């Protein structure tokens, strides 16, 4: 990471300072996005930036740039940092003002930052991972990609302490999503995933996956399912910008089906890799 976008300008990290009364720092009053970069090209850029705009609208946060302006600056940042494979993290807070719970609308200027980080890409099909289940203790506006991630952090920590890769959250037995991912199951050849309501974040990888299903005659439904249904499923998988499409083969110490990645998951992994190549070109391994 060499440069940072700070309020639309490329700066060095040492030149960027955030006020201690920034509302993102004191209240988590802000939003963010993480965008994957392959081969120096941004994957699903427009979908990510539009979701940033949607999140901003839902919390009445003014965005000082257009979608096109953000995308252009992100491309400049990637070129400046010579990033080949990795991510761009972008964040928008309401800005700095005297600390009070109610937010000012016109008296404060929002603060936008973005930076890059390398992330290896091997191009290989990902093996299955382990997960744990946990109560979903978060608020009821999970469709907003806000900075308020304490519930997610506690869930992820539970997974780490159990030597697992992800925590699958549920509300009274109904699976919502992972601590930093969306979760889907496959039953009798049909993929099932929680509908895009206020209880989950409508992940970009999730959206791409469902389009791949539609385009390739893979049956799917956006329908809630229980922990019990998940444990008895033929396949379980999770999706996110960082993990792409990855099978889950063990949950709470119990194997899913035969403990191996299933055929639908493998097909989606292949299709997703092809979509990466379509958008970003052939990706060389790090």
């Amino acid at each position: 990471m060499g440069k940072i976008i700070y309020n639309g300008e490329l700066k060095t990290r040492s030149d960027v300072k955030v006020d201690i009364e920034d509302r993102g720092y004191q209240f988590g009053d802000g939003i963010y996005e993480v965008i994957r970069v392959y081969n120096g090209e941004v994957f699903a850029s427009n979908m990510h930036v539009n979701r940033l705009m949607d999140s901003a609208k839902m919390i009445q946060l003014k965005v000082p740039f257009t979608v096109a302006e953000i995308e252009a600056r992100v491309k400049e940042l990637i070129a400046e940092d010579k990033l080949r494979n990795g991510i761009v993290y972008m964040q928008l807070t309401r800005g700095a003002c005297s600390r009070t719970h109610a937010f000012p609308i016109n008296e404060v200027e929002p603060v936008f930052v973005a930076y890059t980080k390398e992330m290896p890409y091997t191009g290989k099909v990902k093996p299955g991972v382990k997960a744990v289940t946990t109560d979903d203790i978060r608020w009821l506006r999970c469709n907003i990609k806000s900075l308020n991630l304490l519930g997610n952090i506690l869930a992820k920590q539970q997974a780490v302490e159990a030597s697992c890769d992800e925590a699958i959250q549920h509300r009274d037995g109904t699976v919502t999503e992972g601590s930093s991912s969306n979760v889907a199951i496959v039953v009798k050849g049909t993929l099932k995933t929680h509908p895009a309501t206020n209880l989950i974040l409508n992940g970009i990888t999730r959206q791409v996956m469902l389009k791949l299903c539609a385009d390739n005659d893979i049956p799917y439904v956006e329908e809630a399912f229980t922990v019990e249904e998940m444990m008895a499923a033929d396949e379980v998988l999770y999706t996110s910008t960082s993990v792409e499409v990855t099978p889950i083969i063990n949950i709470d110490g119990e194997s899913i089906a035969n403990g191996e990645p299933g055929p639908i998951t493998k097909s989606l992994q292949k299709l997703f890799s092809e979509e990466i190549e379509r958008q970003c070109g052939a990706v060389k391994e790090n």
Side-chain angles (χ1 to χ4, degrees), residues 42-66:
V42 186
F43 182 75
S45 173
N46 197 255
M47 295 174 72
H48 278 284
V49 179
N50 273 296
R51 186 173 65 177
L52 183 83
M53 295 296 192
D54 289 341
S55 291
K57 185 177 181 180
M58 284 186 279
I59 65 169
Q60 301 177 53
L61 175 53
K62 179 177 66 176
V63 182
F65 309 105
T66 65

Side-chain angles (χ1 to χ4, degrees), residues 5-161:
I5 299 175
Y6 179 76
N7 286 346
E9 297 182 13
L10 285 176
K11 295 179 176 288
T12 59
R13 181 169 182 168
S14 60
D15 290 335
V16 175
K17 306 296 180 184
V18 177
D19 195 294
I20 62 168
E21 287 192 308
D22 184 277
R23 291 182 62 87
Y25 174 71
Q26 293 194 336
F27 290 107
D29 187 1
I31 54 176
Y32 76 102
E33 281 290 331
V34 180
I35 307 179
R36 196 71 184 261
V37 176
Y38 300 100
N39 200 37
E41 299 292 334
V42 186
F43 182 75
S45 173
N46 197 255
M47 295 174 72
H48 278 284
V49 179
N50 273 296
R51 186 173 65 177
L52 183 83
M53 295 296 192
D54 289 341
S55 291
K57 185 177 181 180
M58 284 186 279
I59 65 169
Q60 301 177 53
L61 175 53
K62 179 177 66 176
V63 182
F65 309 105
T66 65
V67 169
E69 287 171 338
I70 293 175
E71 290 187 303
R73 296 307 275 167
V74 165
K75 288 181 179 179
E76 289 180 36
L77 176 65
I78 291 168
E80 184 73 23
D81 280 354
K82 297 180 174 60
L83 181 69
R84 189 174 73 184
N85 297 318
I87 62 165
V88 174
Y89 176 86
M90 60 178 65
Q91 175 177 294
L92 182 70
T93 73
R94 205 174 302 274
C97 63
S98 179
R99 189 182 189 281
T100 180
H101 280 67
F103 56 79
I105 295 178
N106 299 316
E107 298 84 0
V108 62
E109 290 299 319
V111 175
F112 179 85
V113 297
Y115 61 82
T116 67
K117 181 181 179 181
E118 290 186 352
M119 180 176 289
Y121 178 74
T122 65
K124 298 176 182 176
V125 172
K126 296 174 179 60
V129 302
K130 297 180 180 180
V132 294
T133 57
T134 186
D135 288 330
D136 192 340
I137 62 172
R138 302 169 301 163
W139 71 327
L140 297 177
R141 293 304 305 274
C142 298
N143 55 315
I144 300 171
K145 198 168 177 69
S146 81
L147 302 180
N148 296 275
L149 293 174
L150 188 56
N152 304 67
I153 289 168
L154 292 173
K156 182 70 79 175
Q157 184 62 25
Q158 183 178 338
V160 169
E161 291 175 359

Side-chain angles (χ1 to χ4, degrees), residues 139-190:
W139 71 327
L140 297 177
R141 293 304 305 274
C142 298
N143 55 315
I144 300 171
K145 198 168 177 69
S146 81
L147 302 180
N148 296 275
L149 293 174
L150 188 56
N152 304 67
I153 289 168
L154 292 173
K156 182 70 79 175
Q157 184 62 25
Q158 183 178 338
V160 169
E161 291 175 359
S163 298
C164 293
D165 290 85
E166 182 58 300
I168 300 173
Q169 302 171 106
H170 62 88
R171 294 182 187 268
D172 298 322
T174 297
V175 174
T176 48
E177 59 185 346
S179 66
S180 59
S181 65
N182 294 116
V183 178
I185 64 174
V186 177
V187 178
K188 296 180 180 180
T190 296

